[in-house]
């Protein structure tokens, strides 16, 4: 089990800079998601770690050893492709044995290893099938088995769940997590699905336009986003901009407090509030003072367990509130309401 | 409407095949004047065995077709690998350069070869026809193999490399087996292109050294004998077999879905 | 450290890759250069000569060969005849081929469609000479058509279509019809049923559906089919010779004569290049439709 470090990676495709000085440490045995919109450079970073792409500058090291100059076939990585890339002319067993064979592991030893991973991915008895005789979820598990059978130094996953339908994907997420824990592999997972990143990962790195903008645990990233991009890409957020005045933020007639440290008196600040942290009235037992903000209810979107409320503040910008449908004592559309939330949920973000 | 359409299709197929059917039938007719009804006979096929120039021409045709098929497939497959797997400047120009041999009328290509080969001392004859036929077949091979390459996804090779294959091993272990049907199809196609080629052979042949189509053409021009029916019938049968084999290998009718 | 090794790496890889690429491409393109591109260049060179430079004859450059059309007015007639032949053949192929492609796409399915499709394109890859030759048996006096006619109408006069203009057209249509059906089929098969159904739901009747929906959508197939037929037809010489006899004088046969009978290679080269110019002009005008089509064969 080794860690992976990338330092100051730069990659240009012609005039376009795809990665702009990316540095990150992927610790041994941890499951890290690279999360970002398409074009953020997450797949390029993964392919640089794999060795398919050579960076213009920067280093990749596995367990402290520089592998930047090593071609992919010498790096001993396991990779699962978006399309699975199973060899269609080989049986499941031959697919899985391919990497062992390359390492000189043959015969009975190889068969035992294949059986071991087949058991791990719950595909015993499928070893003589051809890939096209398997369902999407089964192909996915073969691809995973093929990638981990060689006990690679790092497991790389390129959006492997995106081709599956929703139900299957949720099942596979649980499976993937279990297999990763059991094998203990350092895992780097590329995805654009924020929910997937939050549920699966020990750590999430958010990429935006060729840079990692935030890297931390899922709760850390969700609860304490550092930038407007991180807050809006991962989950929903309401943004407010106001001025610092005497230890609070002033927006029109409202004074809002936060537990984050504020910049100098008079400077403009932006902060984010998650929609589920807001409510229409202050809790009765409110020992702590709550932030309050006036808005007009525009629309209610009912979704069974929860409802989404769309509101407009005095300047006309849209606000969003998520509530569980516990008592359903809702204000009517068009009503003037007062939103309240805790100062600890008032998160300063940079633009 | 459906009925009208089907009748029209059948009429078209009849138009396409009737003359050929007539020709084949006449090859088995004892009468050299095409008298009906047909008196079955194999005499024209037997006569072929004694027609030395025709037999020589047939041997030439087969030799040229075999050479063309092997060389064009080899050379064309290599080019196809570069054109479909590697990104480089000028690739679209190189792809466009494959079109002239296909699209320019053979009359022009053939006479140009005659002029150039004669002028440079390459001359005419078997070797000249081989050079010409290979050139005509290369673009088809590149197209057929290129289509096959598209079906073999790049990430299969990448997967092999991530598992420890060098690029060469990845190509041999993964791409080649998947590409094999396309390469065989391309070889057959090149063989058929060469075997059926008349125009270019016509300009590059010499009185002593010709191919089967050239020989058939000059027999027709001289005032033909029913022997031509017999050799044409055989020729048609061989071409048809080649095409059917090619269709089976390259999935021409679109009946086998390839993943 | 990072800046020391990393920047040189892509350069090193790309230079090796460039050599591999070149090594893969050179045999094929070298061959094409030797057998197609250099010969075309040589022919262009010859077309500016007064006489072929064989033996002791000196190189004399002249534009005369390109003025042949004005020196020999009968060439205008021949050129026009060739174009006319191209138009007749292309037009008839379109008239027969488009309905056939439509029928194939809309009135057949499954196994029957596969078999018919294969039947239609099969002659396309078999020997053209043999197919043209087969028509001589059908069309000649005392040939199969003649005999069939006399079986029905014993008193009819002898029928000989061989060595006539219609015979050339029939043979050429037979030779090139599969092209048209194939290109039209590719276009027609891409028209989704829902488009036709939508038109029907909007009140269009069958003729309106043909003129407003099917025809415009199959136009790319018609145009590429037309080019793929017109170009080789104006360069044809074997078909007119076999089926037209003395009547079969076209640009193709005139060019062939310059190389095989008259041995006036510079004139033949110039005529070839005039024809090539016409061909390139046609390709150029329709280049946006064609490349994808040619590639699909």
């Amino acid at each position: 089990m080794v860690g992976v470090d990338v330092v100051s990676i730069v990659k240009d495709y012609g005039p376009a800079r795809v990665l702009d000085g990316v540095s990150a440490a992927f610790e041994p045995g941890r499951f890290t998601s690279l999360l970002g919109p398409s074009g953020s450079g997450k797949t390029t970073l993964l392919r640089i770690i794999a060795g398919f792409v050579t960076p213009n500058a920067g280093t990749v090291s596995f367990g402290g050893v520089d592998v930047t100059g090593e071609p992919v076939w010498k790096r001993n990585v396991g990779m699962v492709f978006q399309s699975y890339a199973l060899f269609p002319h080989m049986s499941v067993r031959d697919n899985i044995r391919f990497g062992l064979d390359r390492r000189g592991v043959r015969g009975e030893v190889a068969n035992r290893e294949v059986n071991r991973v087949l058991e791990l991915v719950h595909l015993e008895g499928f070893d003589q099938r051809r890939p096209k005789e398997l369902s999407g979820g089964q192909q996915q598990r073969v691809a995973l088995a093929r990638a981990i059978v060689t006990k690679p130094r790092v497991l790389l996953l390129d959006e492997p769940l995106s081709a599956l339908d929703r139900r299957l994907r949720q099942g596979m997420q649980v499976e993937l997590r279990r297999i990763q824990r059991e094998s203990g592999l350092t895992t780097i997972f590329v995805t654009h699905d924020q929910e997937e990143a939050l549920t699966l990962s020990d750590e999430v790195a958010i990429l935006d336009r060729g840079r990692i903008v935030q890297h931390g645990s899922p709760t850390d990233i969700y609860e304490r986003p550092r930038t407007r991009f991180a807050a809006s890409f991962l989950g929903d957020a309401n943004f407010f901009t106001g001025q610092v005045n005497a230890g609070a933020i002033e927006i029109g007639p409202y004074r809002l407090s936060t537990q984050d440290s504020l910049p100098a008196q008079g400077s403009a600040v932006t902060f984010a509030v998650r929609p589920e942290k807001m409510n229409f009235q202050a809790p009765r037992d409110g020992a702590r003072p709550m932030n309050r903000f006036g808005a007009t209810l525009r629309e209610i979107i009912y979704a069974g367990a929860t409802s989404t409320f769309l509101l407009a503040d005095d300047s006309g910008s849209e606000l969003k509130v998520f509530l569980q449908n516990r008592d359903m004592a809702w204000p009517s559309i068009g009503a003037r309401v007062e939103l309240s939330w805790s100062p600890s949920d008032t998160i300063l973000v940079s633009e | 409407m459906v009925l009208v359409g089907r009748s029209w299709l059948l009429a078209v197929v009849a138009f396409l095949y009737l003359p050929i059917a007539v020709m084949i039938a006449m090859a088995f007719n004892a009468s050299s004047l095409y008298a009906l009804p047909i008196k079955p006979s194999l005499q024209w096929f037997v006569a072929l065995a004694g027609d030395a120039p025709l037999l020589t021409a047939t041997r030439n045709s087969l030799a040229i077709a075999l050479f063309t098929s092997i060389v064009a497939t080899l050379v064309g497959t290599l080019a196809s690998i570069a054109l479909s797997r590697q990104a480089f400047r000028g690739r679209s120009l190189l792809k466009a350069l494959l079109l002239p041999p296909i699209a320019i009328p053979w009359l022009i290509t053939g006479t140009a070869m005659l002029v150039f080969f004669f002028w440079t001392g390459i001359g005419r004859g078997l070797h000249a026809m081989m050079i010409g036929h290979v050139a005509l077949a290369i673009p088809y091979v590149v197209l057929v193999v290129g289509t096959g390459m598209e079906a073999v996804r790049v990430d299969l090779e990448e997967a092999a490399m991530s598992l420890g294959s060098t690029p060469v091993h990845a190509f041999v272990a993964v791409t080649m087996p998947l590409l094999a049907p396309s390469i065989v199809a391309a070889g057959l196609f090149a063989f058929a292109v060469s075997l059926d080629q008349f125009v270019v052979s016509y300009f590059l042949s010499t009185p002593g050294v010709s191919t089967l189509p050239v020989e058939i053409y000059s027999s027709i021009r001289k005032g033909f004998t029913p022997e031509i029916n017999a050799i044409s019938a055989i020729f048609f049968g061989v071409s048809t077999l080649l095409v059917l084999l090619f269709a089976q290998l390259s999935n021409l009718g679109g009946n086998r879905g390839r993943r | 450290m990072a800046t020391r090794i990393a920047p040189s790496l892509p350069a090193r890889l790309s230079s090796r890759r460039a050599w591999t690429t070149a090594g893969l491409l050179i045999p094929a393109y070298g061959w094409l250069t030797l057998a197609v591109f250099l010969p075309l260049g040589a022919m262009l060179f010859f077309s500016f000569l007064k006489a072929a430079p064989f033996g002791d004859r000196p190189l004399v450059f002249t534009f005369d060969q390109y003025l042949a059309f004005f020196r020999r007015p009968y060439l205008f007639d021949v050129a026009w005849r060739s174009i006319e032949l191209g138009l007749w053949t292309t037009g008839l192929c379109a008239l027969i081929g488009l309905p056939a492609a439509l029928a194939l796409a809309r009135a057949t399915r499954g196994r029957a469609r596969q078999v018919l499709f294969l039947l239609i394109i099969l002659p396309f890859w078999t020997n053209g000479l043999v197919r043209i030759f087969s028509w001589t048996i059908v069309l000649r006096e005392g040939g199969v058509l003649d005999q069939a006619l006399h079986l029905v109408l014993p008193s009819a006069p002898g029928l000989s279509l061989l060595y006539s203009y219609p015979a050339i057209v029939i043979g050429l249509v037979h030779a090139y019809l599969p092209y048209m059906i194939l290109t039209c089929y590719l276009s027609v098969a891409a028209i989704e049923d829902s488009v036709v159904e939508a038109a029907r739901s909007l009140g269009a009747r069958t003729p309106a559906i043909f003129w407003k929906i099917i025809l415009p959508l199959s136009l790319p197939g018609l145009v590429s089919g037309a080019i793929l037929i017109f170009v080789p037809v104006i360069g044809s010489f074997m078909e007119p010779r076999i089926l037209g006899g003395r009547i079969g004088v076209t640009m193709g046969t005139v060019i062939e004569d310059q190389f095989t009978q008259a041995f006036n290679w510079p004139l033949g080269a110039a005529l070839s290049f005039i024809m090539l110019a016409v061909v390139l002009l046609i390709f150029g005008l329709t280049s946006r439709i064609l490349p994808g089509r040619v590639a699909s064969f």
Side-chain angles (χ1 to χ4, degrees):
Chain A
M1 224 196 304
V2 298
V4 173
D5 294 284
V6 295
V7 181
S8 313
I9 296 282
V10 175
K11 181 66 196 174
D12 296 325
Y13 283 120
R17 178 147 289 196
V18 181
L19 290 174
D20 188 11
V22 170
S23 297
F26 303 93
E27 281 163 34
R30 304 277 276 179
F31 191 118
T32 308
S33 289
L34 299 177
L35 177 67
S38 56
S40 60
K42 56 186 192 300
T43 300
T44 307
L45 181 57
L46 190 81
R47 292 172 65 79
I48 285 175
I49 295 170
F52 289 121
V53 176
T54 312
N56 296 83
T59 54
V60 180
S61 44
F62 289 0
V65 179
D66 188 338
V67 296
T68 318
E70 257 179 35
V72 52
W73 55 91
K74 288 187 183 154
R75 285 196 189 184
N76 193 12
V77 295
M79 183 144 173
V80 178
F81 292 78
Q82 192 170 7
S83 62
Y84 314 144
L86 296 178
F87 306 131
H89 58 304
M90 295 181 194
S91 66
V92 167
R93 177 169 293 276
D94 289 343
N95 262 280
I96 298 175
R97 206 155 45 183
F98 192 94
L100 293 171
D101 189 67
R102 290 287 86 210
R103 286 160 181 75
V105 182
R106 302 199 168 99
E108 256 326 288
V109 188
N111 272 332
R112 262 204 310 278
E113 284 300 298
V114 174
N115 293 340
R116 178 182 65 83
V117 288
L118 279 173
E119 202 177 315
L120 190 65
V121 298
H122 298 322
L123 277 178
E124 303 99 323
F126 285 85
D127 58 333
Q128 290 311 320
R129 304 260 189 115
R130 289 291 171 103
K132 66 175 173 220
E133 296 165 345
L134 302 176
S135 71
Q138 289 167 335
Q139 292 184 21
Q140 158 80 73
R141 281 184 280 165
V142 175
L144 191 58
R146 185 178 69 177
I148 63 179
V149 71
T150 56
K151 304 200 173 87
R153 291 193 284 181
V154 50
L155 178 61
L156 306 171
L157 307 163
D158 184 11
E159 304 207 29
L161 304 179
S162 61
L164 301 177
D165 67 50
R166 197 181 151 75
R167 280 182 71 100
L168 209 51
R169 191 159 69 219
Q170 286 170 347
M172 273 312 296
Q173 286 174 359
V174 178
E175 283 282 280
L176 184 59
R177 197 60 238 240
R178 175 184 64 79
I179 293 164
Q180 194 267 338
R181 281 215 184 90
E182 286 178 24
S183 60
L185 289 163
T186 309
T187 303
I188 304 173
F189 178 80
V190 160
T191 182
H192 63 264
D193 183 332
Q194 28 162 316
E195 211 180 298
E196 203 166 86
L198 290 177
T199 26
L200 280 173
S201 323
D202 299 318
E203 278 176 50
V204 176
I206 296 187
L207 276 90
D208 180 31
R209 283 168 291 174
R211 289 173 170 279
I212 292 182
V213 292
Q214 197 167 357
H215 187 164
S217 72
T219 45
D220 192 34
I221 290 212
Y222 185 78
E223 302 292 338
R224 319 286 334 154
R226 280 209 300 264
T227 65
R228 180 191 268 266
F229 175 83
S232 61
F233 186 71
L234 195 66
D236 267 301
N238 295 306
F239 294 101
F240 300 86
T241 306
Q243 268 197 335
V244 178
N245 189 8
I249 306 151
E250 266 186 5
I251 304 174
Y254 305 103
R255 271 182 69 80
L256 304 166
S257 42
T258 174
Q259 291 180 347
D260 295 352
S261 51
L262 286 167
Q265 173 80 10
S267 46
V269 288
T270 301
F271 62 92
V273 183
R274 297 289 187 192
E276 72 276 11
K277 309 287 186 191
M278 291 178 155
N279 209 330
F280 288 133
Q281 68 272 330
R284 298 274 169 256
D285 62 337
R288 291 175 302 168
M290 301 293 274
N291 285 328
R292 289 166 197 284
F293 196 78
T296 307
L297 184 58
R298 288 268 188 253
E299 207 168 322
I300 304 173
I301 302 161
Y302 173 77
T306 60
S307 291
T308 301
F309 299 81
L310 301 181
L311 307 100
D313 71 6
D314 298 340
S315 67
S317 35
E318 190 179 85
L319 296 173
K320 210 184 256 184
V321 175
F322 298 151
L323 286 180
Q324 287 202 315
N325 293 330
R326 199 169 295 145
D327 54 7
M328 315 247 310
W330 297 334
S332 50
I333 288 173
R336 180 79 188 163
V337 295
E338 190 163 72
L339 297 171
S340 69
W341 67 89
S342 158
S344 60
D345 293 326
T346 308
I347 310 142
L348 290 194
V349 294
S350 56
E351 283 290 336
Chain B
M1 273 316 278
V2 168
L3 210 66
V4 176
R6 287 185 185 164
S7 321
W8 186 258
L9 267 180
L10 287 181
V12 165
V13 170
F15 169 69
L16 288 175
Y17 283 91
L18 261 181
I20 298 167
V22 164
M23 178 192 74
I24 293 172
M26 287 308 166
F28 292 97
N29 190 357
S31 160
S32 63
L33 295 168
Y34 304 135
L36 291 173
I38 289 171
K39 274 189 277 165
S41 158
L42 289 175
Q43 69 187 85
W44 308 120
F45 291 93
V46 175
L48 282 181
D51 190 332
L54 213 54
L55 290 180
T56 315
T58 307
R59 257 202 307 280
N60 288 344
S61 273
L62 290 175
I64 295 171
L66 197 65
F67 179 85
T68 301
S69 143
I70 292 168
V71 175
T73 305
L74 190 74
V75 166
T77 300
L78 292 182
S80 184
I81 291 166
L83 287 174
S84 54
R85 275 293 187 271
Q86 290 167 329
F88 52 90
R89 216 174 301 154
R91 186 166 68 155
S92 45
L93 176 74
L94 285 183
K95 279 188 173 169
L97 281 179
L98 293 171
L99 290 180
I102 300 180
I104 295 177
W106 284 330
L107 172 69
I108 298 177
T109 329
T111 51
M113 285 180 191
L114 170 63
V115 167
F116 181 71
F117 290 174
F118 197 85
W119 191 31
T120 53
I122 294 173
R124 295 181 289 171
L126 273 188
H127 62 291
M129 290 190 242
M130 285 176 176
I131 296 174
H133 284 204
V134 169
L136 293 185
I138 285 173
Y140 290 108
V141 172
V142 175
L143 292 178
V144 171
V145 176
T147 312
M149 289 283 279
E150 267 162 41
V152 183
R153 298 180 48 120
V154 181
D155 57 12
L156 290 179
E157 282 174 34
E158 288 188 345
M161 284 193 256
S162 78
L163 293 166
S165 287
T166 59
V168 172
H169 181 267
F171 187 80
V172 172
V174 175
T175 310
M176 274 302 275
L178 295 171
L179 204 58
S182 301
I183 294 177
V184 174
L188 277 175
F189 203 104
F191 192 88
V193 164
S194 168
L195 199 63
D196 290 344
Q197 178 51 247
F198 160 67
V199 179
V200 167
S201 304
Y202 175 68
F203 289 109
L204 297 180
S205 63
T206 58
V209 185
S210 68
T211 64
L212 190 52
V214 176
E215 202 61 31
I216 293 177
Y217 179 72
S218 51
S219 306
I220 297 170
R221 300 275 290 150
K222 267 183 249 161
F224 53 90
T225 64
E227 279 170 60
I228 305 174
N229 285 354
I231 190 73
S232 296
I234 295 174
F235 203 170
F236 181 81
V238 171
S239 298
T240 306
L241 265 176
L242 280 177
V243 178
L244 288 178
L245 216 56
F246 171 77
Q248 191 63 34
L249 281 169
S250 70
N251 188 20
L252 205 62
N255 44 346
R256 280 184 299 132
R258 202 187 322 190
R259 286 181 64 94
Chain C
M1 172 81 183
T3 45
R4 189 167 56 81
I5 74 156
S8 67
L9 205 68
R12 193 145 46 84
L13 278 179
S14 72
S15 104
R16 218 178 69 195
R17 199 170 296 156
W19 280 110
T20 317
T21 306
L24 292 170
L25 290 170
I26 282 171
Y29 285 89
W31 203 296
L32 288 179
T33 305
L34 174 73
V36 177
F37 302 125
L38 283 179
L40 287 175
M43 192 144 86
L44 185 62
F45 176 72
F46 266 56
S47 70
F48 292 109
L49 295 182
K50 197 166 180 63
F54 301 134
D56 306 326
R57 270 176 292 181
L59 286 175
V60 180
F61 292 95
T62 172
F63 279 103
D64 273 6
Q65 311 296 358
Y66 285 93
L67 301 176
F69 270 85
F70 302 99
R71 299 263 167 86
R72 309 167 203 224
Y74 76 92
L75 281 177
F76 274 112
D77 290 343
V78 173
W80 172 242
R81 253 182 113 73
S82 299
I83 290 170
E84 210 178 28
L85 197 62
L87 292 175
W88 269 108
T89 308
T90 310
L92 283 172
C93 282
L95 276 180
I96 302 170
L98 180 60
L102 268 174
L104 193 61
R106 310 217 137 248
T108 65
R109 64 186 58 186
R111 192 87 196 122
R113 179 187 297 181
Q114 284 169 22
V115 170
L116 278 169
F117 186 81
L118 203 61
L119 272 179
I120 286 169
I121 57 169
L122 198 136
F124 177 56
W125 294 120
T126 59
N127 191 275
L129 180 67
V130 167
R131 288 196 286 145
I132 290 296
F133 165 65
S134 69
W135 279 104
T136 64
I137 306 174
V138 175
L139 296 177
R140 68 175 42 249
E141 189 167 9
V144 174
L145 199 62
D146 194 12
Q147 294 191 39
L149 181 73
H150 284 99
L151 279 180
V152 185
L153 287 174
S155 58
L159 176 69
S160 174
L161 283 176
L162 193 59
Y163 308 132
S164 71
Y165 196 74
I168 307 176
V169 175
I170 290 173
L172 287 170
V173 168
H174 185 248
Y176 291 104
L177 182 59
Y179 268 127
M180 184 60 91
I181 298 179
L182 194 59
T183 57
C184 285
Y185 178 75
L186 292 177
S187 287
V188 170
I191 303 175
E192 285 181 36
D193 284 345
S194 60
V195 173
V196 175
E197 279 161 14
R200 236 180 256 290
S201 76
L202 294 168
R205 287 161 191 270
T206 305
I209 286 174
F210 179 78
W211 290 109
K212 304 257 178 206
I213 311 281
I214 307 266
L215 193 63
L217 287 175
S218 45
L219 210 56
L222 268 177
V223 172
S224 45
I227 296 160
L228 291 175
I229 293 170
F230 189 79
V231 166
V233 165
I234 59 171
S236 64
F237 73 91
M238 170 267 281
E239 296 89 344
R241 283 246 199 267
I242 295 179
L243 295 173
R246 233 182 286 280
I247 296 180
V249 178
T250 62
M251 279 311 281
T253 64
V254 169
I255 291 172
E256 186 219 337
D257 274 340
Q258 303 314 313
F259 286 97
T260 58
Q261 308 292 325
F263 292 105
N264 190 347
W265 288 15
L267 177 61
L271 293 178
S272 277
F273 262 88
I274 292 169
M275 186 186 279
L276 187 60
V278 173
V279 168
L280 291 179
L281 193 70
I282 294 171
F283 280 134
L285 288 176
T286 51
S287 59
R288 268 187 303 167
I289 307 172
L290 204 66
R293 298 268 154 187
V294 172
S296 67
F297 288 117

